[in-house]
Amino acid sequence: MKRIKLSLVIVLTFIGINLSAQDEVSLYAGFGSGIEGGVSYLYSFSPKWGLRSGLVYSQEKQSQSFSLLEDKYEVPTPTSFPSNSKFDYYTRLDNYKEEQTLLYLNVPIMAQFQTTT
């Protein structure tokens, strides 16, 4: 499976389709802490200047777990309560586990300058 992922990264990283002297379409993908992939389009105004935009999809997964977490904190007494009032909050988590999946869809817009043609 790692070999397939690596092959996809290598192939998709270097795909570039030249539509004309002014246009370029690129595809890319990556794997790390998550998955990322996208397509971009470059329109060149001149041999040095161009405008690039595209669509990028990213997905990341995160998890956190605690076997035991305890905490206590004191809250200041509100002014409307008697001055001898006291508020203490206690927290205890046993075998706590949290998982998150984050999905991003980005539309980047970039001005591009290149010194060589």
Side-chain angles (χ1 to χ4, degrees):
M1 187 64 170
K2 279 188 169 185
R3 188 175 263 177
I4 293 172
K5 286 182 180 180
L6 181 61
S7 299
L8 276 174
V9 170
I10 291 170
V11 169
L12 292 177
T13 300
F14 297 106
I15 290 179
I17 303 167
N18 289 325
L19 302 175
S20 69
Q22 293 183 338
D23 301 310
E24 177 186 307
V25 175
S26 300
L27 302 171
Y28 67 93
F31 302 91
S33 63
I35 299 171
E36 182 175 305
V39 60
S40 69
Y41 173 76
L42 171 67
Y43 178 78
S44 298
F45 299 113
S46 70
K48 293 189 178 208
W49 286 98
L51 185 65
R52 182 179 293 276
S53 186
L55 190 62
V56 179
Y57 171 81
S58 300
Q59 177 180 339
E60 296 179 21
K61 290 187 177 185
Q62 302 173 355
S63 65
Q64 185 72 31
S65 62
F66 299 102
S67 58
L68 177 62
L69 177 66
E70 293 181 311
D71 195 14
K72 172 194 167 197
Y73 59 97
E74 187 177 313
V75 178
T77 304
T79 56
S80 60
F81 283 63
S83 62
N84 60 354
S85 298
K86 183 179 170 187
F87 293 96
D88 289 333
Y89 286 101
Y90 295 90
T91 304
R92 179 185 169 114
L93 300 172
D94 289 322
N95 297 322
Y96 176 78
K97 185 173 183 181
E98 175 179 296
E99 293 182 0
Q100 293 180 338
T101 301
L102 306 170
L103 305 172
Y104 302 101
L105 190 59
N106 299 313
V107 180
I109 299 173
M110 299 170 275
Q112 180 171 318
F113 177 77
Q114 53 190 27
T115 56
T116 59
T117 57

